[in-house]
Amino acid sequence: LKGGTLASPDLTIKAKGVIDGYGTISGSPDGSDPGALTNDGIVTAENGTLDISDDVTSDGTGQFNIAAGSTLEFSGTLAANDTVKFVSGGNAILLLDPPGGNGPGFGAKLVNFSAGDFIDIDNFVATSAGFDSGTDTLSDGSTQVLLNFGADQSADTLSYSTAGGAT
């Protein structure tokens, strides 16, 4: 994918299937009908922003990668059995929007998150944060966003900031 749109109402990426690059994966060409994406393969954002506007179903067990200097955006929900991996090199960005939809629906495990990487939760300003057993819980007083880092992350390696009204 090199800047285009891959439109399919119900897309399945089979085991050993690979999509990489930048652009949009959507249920329809204009993005008005978000479909469902089942990922059993590998989807990598590289050389720009890859926007997944579909809900990612719980049927897949695939991996989403974010290459250094690239952005992976989820406009829908992401199931708990998927993995989002920050590829080494830093400056990889995971963008979640909107928190009323995606935030609470973001269940994937985050791996290899390191200095220089970012998680941007659009239109969400956290007023509190807590870290327990690999899960970071952010709240704005009415909505909670849970980020599952697993056992390989500790609270002292995370920092929080707001930029443009988002966390």
Side-chain angles (χ1 to χ4, degrees):
L1 198 58
K2 294 192 187 286
T5 297
L6 174 59
S8 175
D10 292 304
L11 178 64
T12 298
I13 302 168
K14 300 281 188 182
K16 298 184 182 179
V18 175
I19 294 178
D20 60 11
Y22 57 96
T24 302
I25 297 175
S26 177
S28 63
D30 65 1
S32 63
D33 179 22
L37 170 65
T38 301
N39 180 23
D40 286 319
I42 297 174
V43 176
T44 301
E46 61 183 358
N47 300 319
T49 298
L50 179 59
D51 179 10
I52 311 289
S53 63
D54 294 342
D55 285 335
V56 180
T57 70
S58 60
D59 299 334
T61 56
Q63 181 168 300
F64 293 90
N65 296 328
I66 312 171
S70 297
T71 300
L72 179 60
E73 179 176 4
F74 288 99
S75 300
T77 59
L78 183 60
N81 49 329
D82 283 301
T83 300
V84 174
K85 180 179 181 181
F86 293 81
V87 179
S88 61
N91 203 26
I93 300 170
L94 173 61
L95 176 59
L96 306 175
D97 60 21
N102 189 320
F106 184 82
K109 182 177 180 189
L110 303 168
V111 297
N112 207 30
F113 185 78
S114 61
D117 292 330
F118 298 92
I119 299 172
D120 184 349
I121 306 169
D122 199 27
N123 296 315
F124 183 82
V125 178
T127 56
S128 66
F131 193 86
D132 184 38
S133 301
T135 299
D136 194 15
T137 303
L138 305 173
S139 176
D140 68 357
S142 61
T143 302
Q144 278 194 335
V145 175
L146 304 176
L147 301 173
N148 176 14
F149 289 96
D152 60 345
Q153 193 80 38
S154 64
D156 62 344
T157 61
L158 300 175
S159 63
Y160 307 92
S161 67
T162 58
T167 300

